[in-house]
Amino acid sequence: MQGHCILSHGFESGPDATKVTALAQAAEALGWTHERPDYTDLDARREVSPLGDVAARIERLMQAATAAAARGPLVLAGSSLGAWIAGHVSQRVPVAALFLMAPPVRLDAAHPLQAAEVPLSVIHGWHDELIPAADVVDWTRARRGRLLLVDDDHRLGAHVAASAQAFAELLVRL
């Protein structure tokens, strides 16, 4: 076994979403174990915020990451809001690397994306309608991360295979 990956889906998505499923398959092919927490119940809690219960999302990932990190190397990956929580949890739990897809570099002015200084790989769409590519370039550059910009929108639907390949490359580099 190489280590363990926790793959966090985006807002209003699910643990069986196309991208996190592709990442899980890539991890498994390289001998990594994986899990995909389900945050759909928390996303539905619109009485907390328009993005559901983000604090509870962070706590759910914290619990899973803490347990996994105690067993060996841990990589956190996430898409959109899943990327945002992965970054935040990486500051509190030892992780070997981060893989972020369409990361919101700030949910709002008071909530920027933060992340541990670990190997970082990001994939983002040039035509992301929610998160400007230039903001992600600046954020990734400041952390000296690897960045793959693709001709796609926020969902990265045309680049599922490219996302899985970039994730596999990160795992191999570890």
Side-chain angles (χ1 to χ4, degrees):
M1 180 179 76
Q2 301 292 324
H4 188 70
C5 303
I6 301 178
L7 314 168
S8 293
H9 65 81
F11 180 65
E12 294 186 327
S13 184
D16 295 325
T18 305
K19 288 190 302 278
V20 293
T21 297
L23 297 188
Q25 292 168 346
E28 196 169 299
L30 293 170
W32 289 72
T33 59
H34 56 83
E35 65 185 290
R36 295 178 269 175
D38 187 349
Y39 306 107
T40 55
D41 60 318
L42 303 176
D43 292 352
R45 296 185 62 195
R46 298 293 177 81
E47 71 279 5
V48 177
S49 85
L51 294 175
D53 194 340
V54 177
R57 253 184 179 251
I58 291 171
E59 186 54 37
R60 187 169 293 169
L61 180 56
M62 270 293 301
Q63 290 176 6
T66 300
R71 295 188 305 268
L74 173 65
V75 172
L76 296 180
S79 178
S80 194
L81 184 56
W84 192 88
I85 66 168
H88 281 269
V89 168
S90 75
Q91 296 184 293
R92 298 166 54 193
V93 175
V95 299
L98 282 169
F99 184 77
L100 308 178
M101 299 176 287
V105 295
R106 68 182 81 57
L107 290 185
D108 56 42
H111 298 96
L113 174 57
Q114 299 175 16
E117 292 186 27
V118 297
L120 168 69
S121 185
V122 177
I123 184 167
H124 195 77
W126 278 113
H127 310 291
D128 190 311
E129 64 280 11
L130 302 176
I131 304 149
D135 292 352
V136 175
V137 169
D138 291 344
W139 186 88
T140 307
R141 179 187 310 128
R143 287 152 185 82
R144 297 169 308 285
R146 183 174 279 197
L147 175 61
L148 175 60
L149 289 167
V150 295
D151 187 14
D152 212 338
D153 60 19
H154 184 70
R155 296 204 178 275
L156 297 170
H159 289 85
V160 173
S163 297
Q165 179 62 37
F167 184 56
E169 289 170 4
L170 174 65
L171 295 179
V172 167
R173 285 196 311 271
L174 298 175

